[in-house]
Amino acid sequence: MAGFGHLFRNQASHYAAYRPTYPSELYEVIYSFAKLSSYDAALDIATGSGQAAAVLANKFQRVVAQDQSTQQLEEAVRLPNIEYSHSRAEQTGLPDSSVDLVTVAQALHWFELPVFYKEVRRILRPKGAFAAWGYDLCEFKGNAAANAALESLYNGTLGPYWSERRRLIENQYKGLEPGPEHFGEVKRVILDTMTAEMSVTALIGYLSSWSAYATYREQHPDLPDPLIKFKEAYKAAYGFTSDGEKATLFWPLFVILAKDPEPLD
């Protein structure tokens, strides 16, 4: 596939401002599994606005963060030990055996995986590790009407405008794990700790970062904004009277972890 960066170019600022923050438990699971001997360098692929890269920068001396979208990189958080670059996942341009950890947040479904995994093995150091994670559609616990409004937007109005690869997210990346030709040990973990309290304004900002919403608006600029209808239904479901009122969102978070097992003594 030529690339996917164009799907996020027009809503890069909303992506940076409103996407949910990954819980600290996620990184604890990654580090516990990896058992890295060095925290010299990490590579965050399809970094977007640098959300994961900024957390990795607290652990690693150097973080390389790459993305196909120049608009996303322009919005990315700046830290002295993060190096941003425009690159495809399958062609990182990094030297052989140069990083200790490779991460991919909410983007593995866009890659040409056989080529990508070969590239990951090329740039990983011998005791390095790989982690990829994603999250499916959020939900509002205990509010059926709000969930119904979201479902109508996601699968109804925007349903035809999602890339087919979105279904890989819905299937929690099952079947996308690297095979034994790439890594000797592969593990899947499901976390239920990804939540965010969002105002109505923030929720609409988050939904406007969806690739399907951007595609819909590009193809139908003369039609009403579907987020207007959703917003009305959502506020009614909660009885909200202002856009500043908040509700808690929950996302199922799934993680693929891979490395080579430690040799037996």
Side-chain angles (χ1 to χ4, degrees), residues 212-241:
Y213 172 75
T215 302
Y216 179 93
R217 294 293 282 162
E218 287 177 0
Q219 294 185 14
H220 305 291
D222 298 328
L223 292 181
D225 185 340
L227 292 185
I228 296 175
K229 179 180 178 181
F230 167 79
K231 180 179 175 180
E232 293 174 351
Y234 174 74
K235 290 177 71 173
Y238 274 101
F240 290 160
T241 58

Side-chain angles (χ1 to χ4, degrees), residues 127-172:
K127 293 185 179 181
F130 169 75
W133 62 90
Y135 54 90
D136 200 354
L137 182 64
C138 61
E139 65 173 303
F140 309 97
K141 292 287 181 69
N143 195 316
N147 286 321
L150 187 63
E151 176 72 18
S152 178
L153 175 70
Y154 179 86
N155 278 321
T157 306
L158 301 183
Y161 301 91
W162 288 106
S163 165
E164 290 184 3
R165 297 201 176 202
R166 173 69 189 183
R167 307 310 168 192
L168 300 174
I169 282 272
E170 294 172 350
N171 198 38
Q172 299 188 340

Side-chain angles (χ1 to χ4, degrees), residues 13 57 68 71-72 131 171 179 196 261:
S13 61
Q68 289 190 32
Q71 291 85 355
Q72 288 274 16
N171 198 38

Side-chain angles (χ1 to χ4, degrees), residues 6-257:
H6 66 285
L7 292 174
F8 302 96
R9 65 180 183 269
N10 292 331
Q11 69 271 38
S13 61
H14 282 193
Y15 197 103
Y18 299 116
R19 284 280 168 147
T21 300
Y22 302 118
S24 59
E25 290 85 353
L26 168 66
Y27 300 97
E28 292 170 5
V29 165
I30 293 171
Y31 298 144
S32 176
F33 171 83
K35 294 182 174 62
L36 298 175
S37 57
S38 168
Y39 289 90
D40 172 56
L43 169 63
D44 186 42
I45 297 180
T47 194
S49 55
Q51 184 186 116
V55 178
L56 295 174
N58 293 324
K59 190 81 169 178
F60 289 83
Q61 294 184 37
R62 171 174 172 254
V63 176
V64 179
Q66 300 182 341
D67 203 279
Q68 289 190 32
S69 169
T70 55
Q71 291 85 355
Q72 288 274 16
L73 293 175
E74 288 171 0
E75 299 289 340
V77 60
R78 258 54 188 181
L79 291 173
N81 60 333
I82 299 180
E83 304 168 15
Y84 288 102
S85 63
H86 182 267
S87 179
R88 294 185 65 231
E90 299 84 357
Q91 296 174 319
T92 65
L94 297 182
D96 293 355
S97 303
S98 58
V99 298
D100 303 291
L101 177 69
V102 174
T103 60
V104 180
Q106 193 73 354
L108 188 67
H109 52 296
W110 297 114
F111 302 163
E112 299 300 334
L113 291 180
V115 179
F116 170 68
Y117 285 137
K118 185 177 180 180
E119 176 71 353
V120 170
R121 286 314 315 238
R122 183 186 71 78
I123 63 176
L124 268 182
R125 289 171 177 154
K127 293 185 179 181
F130 169 75
W133 62 90
Y135 54 90
D136 200 354
L137 182 64
C138 61
E139 65 173 303
F140 309 97
K141 292 287 181 69
N143 195 316
N147 286 321
L150 187 63
E151 176 72 18
S152 178
L153 175 70
Y154 179 86
N155 278 321
T157 306
L158 301 183
Y161 301 91
W162 288 106
S163 165
E164 290 184 3
R165 297 201 176 202
R166 173 69 189 183
R167 307 310 168 192
L168 300 174
I169 282 272
E170 294 172 350
N171 198 38
Q172 299 188 340
Y173 286 168
K174 293 173 183 174
L176 301 191
E177 302 89 347
E181 70 274 23
H182 301 295
F183 290 97
E185 182 178 355
V186 178
K187 181 180 179 180
R188 287 177 56 87
V189 178
I190 306 295
L191 299 174
D192 60 0
T193 55
M194 186 165 164
T195 67
E197 188 178 33
M198 284 188 174
S199 67
V200 176
T201 298
L203 174 61
I204 296 303
Y206 163 62
L207 299 180
S208 69
S209 74
W210 284 358
S211 60
Y213 172 75
T215 302
Y216 179 93
R217 294 293 282 162
E218 287 177 0
Q219 294 185 14
H220 305 291
D222 298 328
L223 292 181
D225 185 340
L227 292 185
I228 296 175
K229 179 180 178 181
F230 167 79
K231 180 179 175 180
E232 293 174 351
Y234 174 74
K235 290 177 71 173
Y238 274 101
F240 290 160
T241 58
S242 77
D243 290 355
E245 294 183 86
K246 297 180 179 181
T248 301
L249 284 68
F250 298 79
W251 290 265
L253 182 63
F254 45 91
V255 191
I256 293 174
L257 301 163

